[in-house]
């Protein structure tokens, strides 16, 4: 595969691949990368299109904002061209509504696959769906001008694009409730202090910082990183003794692999 192969470019999403690093870019800066069902389907397609050689995925947004959240056109009676409006969706059956939301969530789930490490490079506004998309990634590097906010409750809704689980895991229940219920902005200093951001850099250094982190992640052998990610993800739901067992099993697999032992 040649450097910077473009595998997808549609509906506000572009996927490029440079050897072991893929970059997913939100490409509608005129609308501050506002999100729509078409964009969500394109993000899902990007995840499915990743070559097996990819180890790190960087998510970024063009322009001054990472993503200002859901395009408000979704709430108009006409909705988006060729799409049911949210009002029409609400009038359908509960099963149909559940299935539709589940489809939308697919755009936010693949970033935590064990075979990749995902990095969100976030600048400016990351609101609602934009905040949840950043939370979908394993790691977050943010610019000094970042503004996270979960505004769904202000609209009479709830965050439903997989953001609640990582938010509670990162900042704790009480802080997560306060952030969601008030809809207030979380700026860079608080984001780093609370664990939402791994690193804060000047806006002009954001892409370079993401590249540097991607390079550091590639330095370790792939299988060791995959096993470690799976081990750490599982620690959320395991007890201490269960995690000890999981550590032994994972290390056994690594040692057998390094020694060339096959079952």
């Amino acid at each position: 595969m040649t450097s910077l192969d473009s595998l997808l470019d549609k509906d506000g999403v572009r996927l490029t691949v440079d050897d072991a690093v893929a970059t997913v870019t939100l490409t509608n800066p005129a609308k501050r990368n506002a999100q729509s069902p078409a964009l969500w389907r394109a993000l899902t397609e990007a995840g499915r299109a990743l070559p097996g050689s990819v180890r790190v995925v960087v998510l970024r947004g063009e322009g001054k904002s990472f993503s200002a959240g859901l395009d408000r056109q979704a709430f108009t009676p006409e909705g988006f061209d060729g799409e049911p409006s949210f009002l029409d969706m609400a009038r359908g059956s509960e099963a149909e509504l559940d299935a539709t939301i589940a489809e939308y969530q697919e755009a936010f789930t693949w970033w935590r696959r064990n075979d990749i490490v995902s990095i969100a490079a976030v600048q400016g506004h990351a609101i609602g769906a934009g905040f949840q998309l950043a939370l979908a990634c394993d790691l977050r590097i943010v610019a000094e001008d970042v503004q996270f906010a979960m505004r769904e409750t202000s609209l009479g809704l709830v965050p439903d694009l997989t953001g609640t689980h990582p938010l509670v895991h990162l900042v704790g229940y009480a802080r997560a409730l306060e952030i969601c219920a008030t809809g207030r902005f979380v700026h860079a200093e608080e984001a780093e202090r609370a664990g939402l951001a791994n690193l804060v850099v000047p806006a002009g250094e954001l892409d370079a910082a993401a590249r540097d982190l991607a390079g550091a992640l590639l330095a370790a052998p792939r299988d060791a990183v995959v096993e470690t990610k799976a081990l750490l993800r599982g620690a959320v739901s395991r007890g201490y003794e269960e995690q000890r067992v999981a550590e032994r099993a994972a290390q056994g697999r690594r040692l057998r692999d390094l020694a060339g032992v096959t079952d």
Side-chain angles (χ1 to χ4, degrees), residues 53-140:
S53 58
V54 168
R55 295 181 54 188
V56 177
V57 181
V58 177
L59 171 64
R60 58 184 298 277
E62 290 183 347
K64 295 182 178 180
S65 292
F66 175 74
S67 175
L70 181 63
D71 191 322
R72 294 300 182 91
Q73 189 174 337
F75 296 102
T76 63
E78 62 273 12
F80 301 99
D81 289 342
E83 303 276 358
S85 72
F86 280 19
L87 298 176
D88 290 335
M89 288 166 47
R91 297 186 185 104
S93 70
E94 289 187 14
E96 290 171 334
L97 183 57
D98 182 79
T100 299
I101 296 173
E103 178 190 353
Y104 295 162
Q105 288 176 330
E106 289 298 314
F108 296 76
T109 58
W110 61 267
W111 306 90
R112 290 181 179 268
R113 281 168 27 187
N114 288 337
D115 61 321
I116 60 172
V117 178
S118 54
I119 305 167
V122 188
Q123 80 283 6
H125 292 96
I127 298 174
F131 191 6
Q132 293 187 80
L133 188 55
L135 287 167
C137 292
D138 296 308
L139 309 172
R140 279 154 298 283

Side-chain angles (χ1 to χ4, degrees), residues 167-179:
L167 182 62
V168 171
H169 178 63
L170 288 167
V171 306
Y173 160 74
R175 180 69 62 87
L177 175 60
E178 181 251 329
I179 288 171

